[in-house]
Amino acid sequence: MHRTKVKIVEEALDANNTIARANRDDFERAGVKVVNFMSAPGAGKTALLERVVDQLPGVRVGVLEGDVQGSMDADRLATLHVPVTQLNTDPSFGGECHLDANMVRTALPDLPLDEIDLLVIENVGNLVCPAEFRVGEDARIMVSAVTEGEEKPLKYPLMFRACELVLINKIDLLPHLDFDLDRFLHNLDAVHPGVERMLVSARTGEGVEQWRDWLARLGSGVQVPV
Amino acid sequence: MHRTKVKIVEEALDANNTIARANRDDFERAGVKVVNFMSAPGAGKTALLERVVDQLPGVRVGVLEGDVQGSMDADRLATLHVPVTQLNTDPSFGGECHLDANMVRTALPDLPLDEIDLLVIENVGNLVCPAEFRVGEDARIMVSAVTEGEEKPLKYPLMFRACELVLINKIDLLPHLDFDLDRFLHNLDAVHPGVERMLVSARTGEGVEQWRDWLARLGSGVQVPV
């Protein structure tokens, strides 16, 4: 039974990768760079996007907002006058805990690809399954909030490995936590040695500029180390 | 395709419920009450358990620790001299993002059921799938940290509905956050009207006593409203 299950999982991931490549081809043809943006629930993905999506000089940003239900985050981002498309995994996709390539593919017709240079796909808040499913992105960014503790890279290694950039968010709270930043960074390097990382606070704006620059480089076609 | 998928999901949940009932029968025969303990990653489940597991007068507690990988939380709890059993979803169960009834069933032979009165099953950190799978528990408790924001009940309604008790953790940080507690409680009541809730801080110990009492009542066989 174990072997059968592993085989089914492998086949599902193979099928996903095939669709992800088709998505990527379509994005490339449209000249759109794509970010898969991931984190645990409440790590601050939407708040971090609010800090940057309308402030990338010369780069037109669109957002594909993945949620199990509702459109709260999409509504927040729409007030910034960037195109936002909602993708709910419930009920159409069985309430899935992640986005996969096929879900993103079904949303393609709703995306204004000829009006944007950079598409940020905000994944469902979850540190497990989103890391397993490519959706056709150029780069993956994950957010880890310091409120979640230092051991998260060791407990969810696949997520911390499956990204090109780690945003360490909520650093404004560091004075009020027992969080040991050096230990977190040590754990991060243990699972993904040398991965690019930035200390940020969506709340105060600290460190956000470097992330904005990183996105702007990606959106304007400058090579980022992926 | 959509209908096929829904059918497969329904059949899987039916099969899970059958095994969950078998687990529950075994727990009842052994005179053990069982809690399914759930939250997002980093909400403080293990820290909250550290505050109570060795401090329930007359109630012997055991822990079944669910993680994708590793045994960090189990190691922490084992220092309190309560029996802790590790259950990893990776690799034996394909790195699943939740525990299901069958995984718990495979762990049954390793559980010292005749030495405990209350088993706490610490689920994988995730606000989506754990809520869909009963594992044979008497009660479900979920933890929501105030650092995760006020809108979590609206974004993950199934999780907030699928529990008998909500622990609102990290309240020691309230003075340093823009968190609106009234709005959170309003959102909570919107998805699960009147569900029992407790304000706690695993860090300072504030409010922990009422949770300890709740667990003690469950573990000693006093009816809790489930």
Side-chain angles (χ1 to χ4, degrees):
Chain A
M1 176 155 157
H2 172 49
R3 223 157 8 152
T4 308
K5 180 157 187 185
V6 169
K7 191 154 175 287
I8 291 171
V9 170
E10 280 173 0
E11 284 172 2
L13 290 177
D14 277 353
N16 183 74
N17 283 339
T18 301
I19 303 174
R21 276 191 296 272
N23 291 349
R24 177 111 187 226
D25 288 346
D26 287 348
F27 290 135
E28 272 181 14
R29 249 191 304 275
V32 174
K33 296 286 182 179
V34 180
V35 166
N36 187 353
F37 197 37
M38 306 181 286
S39 80
K45 290 190 297 304
T46 309
L48 283 166
L49 287 180
E50 286 177 317
R51 284 274 180 187
V52 297
V53 287
D54 61 345
Q55 293 184 42
L56 301 183
V59 176
R60 300 165 301 168
V61 180
V63 178
L64 178 59
E65 186 57 52
D67 287 298
V68 177
Q69 287 192 11
S71 62
M72 301 187 76
D73 294 344
D75 297 343
R76 280 168 65 184
L77 292 169
T79 65
L80 300 174
H81 306 292
V82 297
V84 182
T85 307
Q86 179 71 51
L87 177 54
N88 284 128
T89 70
D90 185 31
S92 300
F93 298 101
E96 291 280 5
C97 60
H98 60 275
L99 298 182
D100 66 23
N102 185 50
M103 297 180 206
V104 170
R105 189 137 198 93
T106 63
L108 279 188
D110 302 324
L111 296 173
L113 293 183
D114 48 353
E115 294 164 26
I116 61 175
D117 308 298
L118 177 67
L119 176 69
V120 179
I121 301 176
E122 187 175 341
N123 218 309
V124 179
N126 181 350
L127 286 185
V128 187
C129 302
E132 296 176 30
F133 293 87
R134 304 297 303 233
V135 295
E137 69 275 30
D138 294 278
R140 291 175 287 185
I141 304 176
M142 72 90 56
V143 185
S144 189
V146 294
T147 46
E148 296 166 15
E150 303 97 347
E151 82 287 6
K152 286 295 158 296
L154 303 181
K155 294 190 68 184
Y156 302 90
L158 185 61
M159 173 59 78
F160 285 84
R161 269 184 214 124
C163 58
E164 284 75 38
L165 174 63
V166 176
L167 298 177
I168 303 163
N169 192 25
K170 306 195 187 182
I171 58 167
D172 57 293
L173 293 175
L174 281 175
H176 312 294
L177 302 173
D178 305 317
F179 184 85
D180 183 335
L181 181 60
D182 286 338
R183 213 171 98 210
F184 175 86
L185 296 174
H186 176 83
N187 291 340
L188 178 60
D189 281 321
V191 302
H192 195 165
V195 62
E196 192 166 0
R197 76 282 316 258
M198 296 175 182
L199 298 171
V200 296
S201 166
R203 191 184 184 210
T204 67
E206 191 179 344
V208 162
E209 199 174 321
Q210 51 179 337
W211 181 49
R212 199 183 291 147
D213 292 344
W214 197 97
L215 280 181
R217 282 197 304 278
L218 178 66
S220 57
V222 179
Q223 197 66 39
V224 294
V226 169
Chain B
M1 176 154 157
H2 171 51
R3 220 150 21 144
T4 309
K5 179 155 188 187
V6 169
K7 191 154 175 288
I8 292 171
V9 170
E10 281 173 0
E11 284 173 1
L13 290 176
D14 275 354
N16 183 74
N17 283 338
T18 301
I19 303 173
R21 274 192 297 273
N23 290 349
R24 179 112 185 224
D25 287 347
D26 288 348
F27 291 135
E28 272 181 14
R29 249 190 305 275
V32 174
K33 296 285 182 180
V34 179
V35 166
N36 187 353
F37 197 37
M38 306 180 287
S39 80
K45 290 190 297 304
T46 310
L48 283 165
L49 287 180
E50 286 177 317
R51 283 275 180 187
V52 296
V53 288
D54 61 345
Q55 294 184 42
L56 300 183
V59 177
R60 300 164 301 168
V61 180
V63 178
L64 178 60
E65 187 57 54
D67 286 298
V68 178
Q69 288 192 10
S71 62
M72 300 187 77
D73 294 344
D75 296 343
R76 279 168 65 183
L77 292 168
T79 64
L80 300 173
H81 307 292
V82 297
V84 181
T85 307
Q86 180 70 51
L87 176 54
N88 284 128
T89 70
D90 185 31
S92 301
F93 299 101
E96 291 280 4
C97 60
H98 59 275
L99 298 181
D100 66 23
N102 186 50
M103 297 179 206
V104 170
R105 190 138 197 91
T106 62
L108 279 187
D110 302 324
L111 295 173
L113 292 183
D114 49 352
E115 295 165 25
I116 61 175
D117 307 298
L118 177 67
L119 175 69
V120 179
I121 300 177
E122 187 175 341
N123 218 309
V124 178
N126 182 351
L127 286 186
V128 187
C129 302
E132 297 177 30
F133 293 87
R134 305 295 304 232
V135 295
E137 69 274 34
D138 294 279
R140 290 175 289 185
I141 303 176
M142 72 89 56
V143 185
S144 190
V146 293
T147 45
E148 296 166 15
E150 303 97 346
E151 82 289 5
K152 286 296 158 296
L154 303 181
K155 294 190 68 183
Y156 302 90
L158 184 62
M159 174 58 77
F160 284 84
R161 269 186 213 120
C163 58
E164 283 76 38
L165 174 62
V166 176
L167 297 177
I168 303 164
N169 192 26
K170 307 196 187 182
I171 58 166
D172 56 292
L173 293 176
L174 280 175
H176 312 295
L177 302 173
D178 305 317
F179 184 85
D180 183 336
L181 181 60
D182 286 338
R183 213 169 100 211
F184 174 86
L185 295 174
H186 177 84
N187 291 340
L188 178 60
D189 280 321
V191 302
H192 195 164
V195 62
E196 191 166 1
R197 77 280 318 255
M198 295 175 183
L199 298 171
V200 296
S201 166
R203 191 182 184 212
T204 67
E206 192 179 345
V208 162
E209 198 173 320
Q210 51 179 337
W211 180 48
R212 199 182 291 148
D213 292 345
W214 197 97
L215 279 181
R217 283 197 303 278
L218 178 66
S220 58
V222 178
Q223 196 66 40
V224 294
V226 169

